[in-house]
Amino acid sequence: MGETKDDGFEAITYLSEDGLRLYARDYGPAQVADRLPIVCLPGLTRNSRDFHQLALQLSTDPATPRRVVSLDYRGRGRSAWDLDKTNYNLGVETQDVISACQHLAIDRAIFIGTSRGGLILHLLAETRPDLIAAVILNDIGPRIEANGLKRIRDYLNFPVPPRDWPEAVAYLKACHGRYFPGLHEPDWQEMAAAIYRDVDEKPMADFDPAIAAQLETIDFDRPLPDLWQYYDSLAAFPMLLIKGQNSDLLSERTIAEMAARNPSLAVFEAVGQGHAPLLHPEPTLWRLKRFLEEI
């Protein structure tokens, strides 16, 4: 499951503001007429591989190809792990996104934020709004539901790694199957290949365990902090919200409040999916492309 020159992207490494070596994938031509590039930001413990199929679809579109960049945050994928585990936070990771844009000469882009990636976009809208042309939020808003976060905490801190790739796929189905009845066997295999890295033909979780351990410190007896103060800055941009039909992290109450604060918000439900939806299957891909055409 290594990378080859025929995978459709260029592997990029760059340095964060504090000197950590970080990784990104760069798909498609660097400049495509006047079309804005797309920057993809993954979830809490996820990485650039989550967007591979989507990036290929968008960067090789025969009519409107775009440059697509997907990032590995520090401690995930091919980016270096941070010795200071307190740096796994939204503020530092937002600065890492800014560093990536600087390194890749991206002055303005359409951003796709899945889960934690969407939270980072809330902070980016406050600190560097000039970078943002439009936003696609994938099953995330300024308020997170505690039950969904508890479920993520529990499966990320599962103590026994899968012994082989079929067991990894089976484990993902056991954890997420009831939320994703719309997925097929190839989808589960792709998900496993994105979440785990291959070490001597065995799957290993592709993130610093300290990131998942942070969830163990959350006091769920107290209200979770929200990002409404940042959402108001983000709402100034064209925005598409993709919600998993069976999501337990993003509630209808939060979506209603998001729409009240941003009447132009477009919402699309990914049927048969939970948190967070795959973006490359139809009809989600069609809706995402339509939004891009409208920018």
Side-chain angles (χ1 to χ4, degrees), residues 43-73:
L44 175 65
T45 58
R46 307 293 282 266
N47 57 71
S48 58
R49 297 196 298 277
D50 272 347
F51 297 100
H52 180 62
Q53 296 298 330
L54 176 68
L56 288 177
Q57 292 271 8
L58 298 178
S59 63
T60 62
D61 186 281
T64 56
R66 289 180 183 268
R67 182 189 187 190
V68 182
V69 171
S70 58
L71 306 184
D72 286 356
Y73 310 133

Side-chain angles (χ1 to χ4, degrees), residues 3-14:
E3 296 172 1
T4 73
K5 65 180 181 180
D6 298 322
D7 284 337
F9 61 86
E10 180 184 359
I12 304 292
T13 57
Y14 61 99

Side-chain angles (χ1 to χ4, degrees), residues 195-227:
I195 292 175
Y196 299 99
R197 58 188 168 93
D198 190 276
V199 179
D200 298 327
E201 299 185 356
K202 293 184 180 296
M204 297 291 293
D206 205 7
F207 60 88
D208 186 338
I211 298 168
Q214 288 179 342
L215 299 181
E216 300 276 23
T217 66
I218 297 175
D219 182 1
F220 284 99
D221 291 328
R222 303 178 62 183
L224 295 176
D226 63 55
L227 296 178

Side-chain angles (χ1 to χ4, degrees), residues 15-271:
L15 294 180
S16 67
E17 193 175 57
D18 56 358
L20 206 64
R21 186 161 295 280
L22 304 179
Y23 173 89
R25 291 179 167 193
D26 195 350
Y27 296 77
Q31 301 293 333
V32 188
D34 294 327
R35 288 185 212 113
L36 290 160
I38 298 170
V39 178
C40 301
L41 307 181
L44 175 65
T45 58
R46 307 293 282 266
N47 57 71
S48 58
R49 297 196 298 277
D50 272 347
F51 297 100
H52 180 62
Q53 296 298 330
L54 176 68
L56 288 177
Q57 292 271 8
L58 298 178
S59 63
T60 62
D61 186 281
T64 56
R66 289 180 183 268
R67 182 189 187 190
V68 182
V69 171
S70 58
L71 306 184
D72 286 356
Y73 310 133
R74 60 181 62 209
R76 291 85 154 177
R78 291 179 176 263
S79 288
W81 292 12
D82 200 321
L83 295 178
D84 182 354
K85 307 307 179 185
T86 63
N87 283 336
Y88 296 133
N89 66 70
L90 291 176
V92 171
E93 290 162 16
T94 300
Q95 181 55 52
D96 289 346
V97 172
I98 295 171
S99 296
C101 290
Q102 291 171 341
H103 179 83
L104 294 163
I106 294 175
D107 298 323
R108 193 162 172 259
I110 300 166
F111 286 85
I112 301 175
T114 293
S115 197
R116 188 177 183 88
L119 300 181
I120 289 172
L121 288 178
H122 282 70
L123 272 64
L124 190 67
E126 184 78 9
T127 57
R128 286 294 306 275
D130 56 296
L131 284 175
I132 302 174
V135 173
I136 299 171
L137 297 178
N138 186 17
D139 207 61
I140 193 66
R143 181 193 293 123
I144 293 175
E145 297 303 306
N147 286 339
L149 192 57
K150 286 179 184 177
R151 183 178 61 82
I152 293 172
R153 174 200 64 188
D154 292 344
Y155 82 74
L156 286 181
N157 288 282
F158 184 70
V160 181
R163 292 168 294 185
D164 53 34
W165 286 98
E167 188 172 290
V169 172
Y171 175 63
L172 293 177
K173 287 180 180 179
C175 289
H176 309 301
R178 73 185 186 96
Y179 299 97
F180 287 87
L183 298 193
H184 304 289
E185 186 64 23
D187 299 319
W188 292 109
Q189 293 172 357
E190 285 180 9
M191 186 185 294
I195 292 175
Y196 299 99
R197 58 188 168 93
D198 190 276
V199 179
D200 298 327
E201 299 185 356
K202 293 184 180 296
M204 297 291 293
D206 205 7
F207 60 88
D208 186 338
I211 298 168
Q214 288 179 342
L215 299 181
E216 300 276 23
T217 66
I218 297 175
D219 182 1
F220 284 99
D221 291 328
R222 303 178 62 183
L224 295 176
D226 63 55
L227 296 178
W228 285 115
Q229 66 184 95
Y230 300 102
Y231 176 77
D232 290 335
S233 296
L234 193 64
F237 301 99
M239 185 184 300
L240 169 65
L241 174 63
I242 297 173
K243 180 194 182 296
Q245 180 185 31
N246 305 314
S247 174
D248 57 359
L249 203 78
L250 178 64
S251 70
E252 295 295 340
R253 177 185 60 166
T254 296
I255 294 173
E257 178 65 19
M258 292 171 72
R261 297 185 183 215
N262 179 11
S264 64
L265 175 70
V267 182
F268 177 81
E269 183 174 82
V271 176

